[in-house]
Structure formats: structure tokens, C-alpha cells
Amino acid sequence: MSKPRVAIFDFACCEGCQLQIVNLEEEILELIGAVDVVEWREAMSEQSREYDIAIVEGSITRPEDEERLWVIRSRVKMLIAIGACATIGGINKLKNNFDLPDVKKYVYGKNANMPHLDTTMTRAIDEVVKVDYKIHGCPIDRKEFTYVIRCLLMGKTPEIPEWPVCVECKAKGNPCLWEYGQVCLGPIIRAGCGARCPSSGFRCFGCRGYIDNPNVDAAKDVIGKYGLNVETLKSKMVLFGSRQGPTNE
Ligand code: SF4
Ligand code: SF4
Ligand code: SF4
């Protein structure tokens, strides 16, 4: 049986998630042995127009990004978005909180209207094309990446947590940071990181995105105990949950 051909692409991002893949060390050799990597700008110079699986990092912030992404999607059977930039728009979506002309002027000054500096509101990958699987986090977790890829290669559906960070945090026996005055987003954010931040004394700031179906009543009870509501909690998610609506393009 021929090995699936895999290509890895990046859009607007810091490339930290690709670095997580590179840093898999000996595990990467095992994974690479199971597939044919035909394009990966960060790690090789070859390019290809033929691949079965695209792994995509980064968010869409320019008109040409969108066109390139459509081409990638048209060539593959499976598209996997990796990292917060790709899965939810990530930190790049902070731009969407402001009017685009102001953002351009602030960043590019008198050159703001030069055609090669054209920019659009930031979108996650699934706001442009269909995404088959998402690997969340900023950056992605190496173990989770390996797990998802292994499952897919074996024809299994990977289990992506559909419960909040609080579940993992409580399982670790951590004291709740709300007791110490930190507005932790754990009740509404997707688990899977092992409650990494609260376990180190920092509030969860939402890098894995909202869970699809939060238990709003339970979250309300917990949050209400501290005199807040779910909307207030969401308003604290500026870093990774900035608004999706159109800016003045
Ligand atoms: S999700 Fe975070 S680590 Fe990954 S590319 Fe975006 S900014 Fe970098
Ligand atoms: S709110 Fe934060 S600190 Fe409290 S239990 Fe949930 S994840 Fe842990
Ligand atoms: S605790 Fe929250 S911010 Fe920290 S890694 Fe997990 S999801 Fe991301």
C-alpha cells in the first residue's frame, strides 16, 4: 500500500507549532516513516502539487492567503489545522478589535495603502475552507499531535476533548485560582492541555478555544459564586477570542 503524501503549510503565525513537530525528535522519524512528506518549507526544500493530507498552521490575513488556501484544500482528502492561529484565529485576531484602516496606518504608517501591504480581517482556517480535524493550543502539544496523526493513519477518529479545562484541573487536585482573585477561563475552554497553566499558578487564558457545548448552567453557578457571569468571562478572552465580525475593510 502506498504511503499517504503529507504536506505542511504555514500562513500568518510564529511557526511555533511547526517547531513542536520538529522537536518530536525520535518520534518524528517513526511518523515520517509512515508517510511521505512531500512539502514542508520549515524542514525541506522540495515542493509538490500532489498530496493527500495538508497540515496547516497559521491564520488567514491577506487576500492571497485565501486563494492559496483554496488551492491547498482542492488538492487534499484531509486538511488538519494545527495551533490556535489556525483553529481559532489566535493572537492574530486581536487585529479584528480595531478598524482595519487604523491598524494598517499604525503598523505601516505612510505606506499603509501600498498594494503589497494589503491585509484583511483575520480568519481561522475553517472560516475559509472545510477543516477535517483540529489540533488545538498555542503551541500545540507534541503528544496530542502524535496521537491525532497516529489515529488518522490507523483509520481511527481521534478523541478531541469536549470538556472544560476545569475537569483536568480538578483531577490534578489544584486549588481553584478564582479563590486567589484570578479570572481563570477554565470553565469554558477546551481541555486537553492537562490544565497546564492553572497547574503552574497562572489562569487559563483560552488558547484551546471555547468548548462547543459548554455546560452553561454549571459554569454560571461557579462564576456566579464570584459575582461574575459568562459574558464577563468571555470578555476576558481578548487574547484568543477576539471578535469575528467584519472590520471596516
Ligand atoms: S498557535 Fe501559537 S505557537 Fe502556534 S503558530 Fe500560532 S502563535 Fe505560534
Ligand atoms: S477555573 Fe481555572 S483554576 Fe479553577 S478549577 Fe477551573 S481551570 Fe482550575
Ligand atoms: S490552561 Fe488554558 S491557556 Fe493554558 S495551555 Fe491550557 S487551554 Fe491553553
Side-chain angles (χ1 to χ4, degrees), residues 138-159:
C138 177
I140 54 166
D141 181 89
R142 277 178 271 177
K143 276 195 191 134
E144 189 175 25
F145 175 82
T146 320
Y147 160 74
V148 171
I149 300 297
R150 279 214 180 101
C151 283
L152 295 175
L153 290 176
M154 289 189 291
K156 291 184 185 167
T157 304
E159 190 180 338

Side-chain angles (χ1 to χ4, degrees), residues 13-17 57 83-85 137-139:
C13 64
C14 79
E15 301 188 11
C17 289
E57 178 195 47
C85 293
C138 177

Side-chain angles (χ1 to χ4, degrees), residues 33-76:
V35 298
D36 269 340
V37 181
V38 296
E39 180 164 345
W40 184 4
R41 187 188 56 78
E42 186 148 307
M44 59 196 265
S45 48
E46 289 84 355
Q47 291 185 322
S48 175
R49 287 166 168 258
E50 293 181 6
Y51 34 86
D52 309 300
I53 300 173
I55 296 177
V56 178
E57 178 195 47
S59 46
I60 302 305
T61 62
R62 298 180 304 173
E64 61 263 42
D65 290 345
E66 184 169 352
E67 287 164 27
R68 182 173 160 236
L69 183 59
W70 275 110
V71 172
I72 292 169
R73 177 72 254 190
S74 71
R75 289 178 177 161
V76 292

Side-chain angles (χ1 to χ4, degrees), residues 184-197:
C184 176
L185 297 180
I188 54 171
I189 298 300
R190 186 184 309 279
C193 60
R196 193 180 299 148
C197 301

Side-chain angles (χ1 to χ4, degrees), residues 29-229:
L29 297 176
E30 197 191 313
L31 282 183
I32 282 179
V35 298
D36 269 340
V37 181
V38 296
E39 180 164 345
W40 184 4
R41 187 188 56 78
E42 186 148 307
M44 59 196 265
S45 48
E46 289 84 355
Q47 291 185 322
S48 175
R49 287 166 168 258
E50 293 181 6
Y51 34 86
D52 309 300
I53 300 173
I55 296 177
V56 178
E57 178 195 47
S59 46
I60 302 305
T61 62
R62 298 180 304 173
E64 61 263 42
D65 290 345
E66 184 169 352
E67 287 164 27
R68 182 173 160 236
L69 183 59
W70 275 110
V71 172
I72 292 169
R73 177 72 254 190
S74 71
R75 289 178 177 161
V76 292
K77 297 184 187 107
M78 185 189 291
L79 189 150
I80 305 167
I82 59 163
C85 293
T87 57
I88 56 173
I91 288 173
N92 299 331
K93 266 199 175 169
L94 281 171
K95 180 170 80 169
N96 295 3
N97 293 309
F98 306 94
D99 288 339
L100 203 56
D102 291 343
V103 173
K104 284 184 190 171
K105 212 152 104 193
Y106 189 81
V107 176
Y108 299 120
K110 62 181 171 45
N111 297 320
N113 292 323
M114 299 283 277
H116 68 288
L117 298 176
D118 199 9
T119 184
T120 58
M121 63 177 287
T122 301
R123 280 172 294 169
I125 299 299
D126 70 351
E127 291 175 283
V128 180
V129 297
K130 177 174 173 265
V131 168
D132 299 292
Y133 293 98
K134 293 179 184 176
I135 303 177
H136 296 277
C138 177
I140 54 166
D141 181 89
R142 277 178 271 177
K143 276 195 191 134
E144 189 175 25
F145 175 82
T146 320
Y147 160 74
V148 171
I149 300 297
R150 279 214 180 101
C151 283
L152 295 175
L153 290 176
M154 289 189 291
K156 291 184 185 167
T157 304
E159 190 180 338
I160 307 292
E162 187 37 59
W163 51 87
V165 172
C166 288
V167 173
E168 292 176 338
C169 190
K170 293 288 178 202
K172 286 194 164 175
N174 294 334
C176 183
L177 293 172
W178 284 64
E179 296 288 349
Y180 300 91
Q182 292 198 45
V183 180
C184 176
L185 297 180
I188 54 171
I189 298 300
R190 186 184 309 279
C193 60
R196 193 180 299 148
C197 301
S199 301
S200 306
F202 300 103
R203 73 185 192 98
C204 168
F205 47 93
C207 80
R208 294 178 60 88
Y210 299 126
I211 43 177
D212 294 334
N213 297 301
N215 184 341
V216 175
D217 289 339
K220 271 183 187 162
D221 286 348
V222 175
I223 297 159
K225 212 175 103 185
Y226 299 91
L228 293 177
N229 57 39

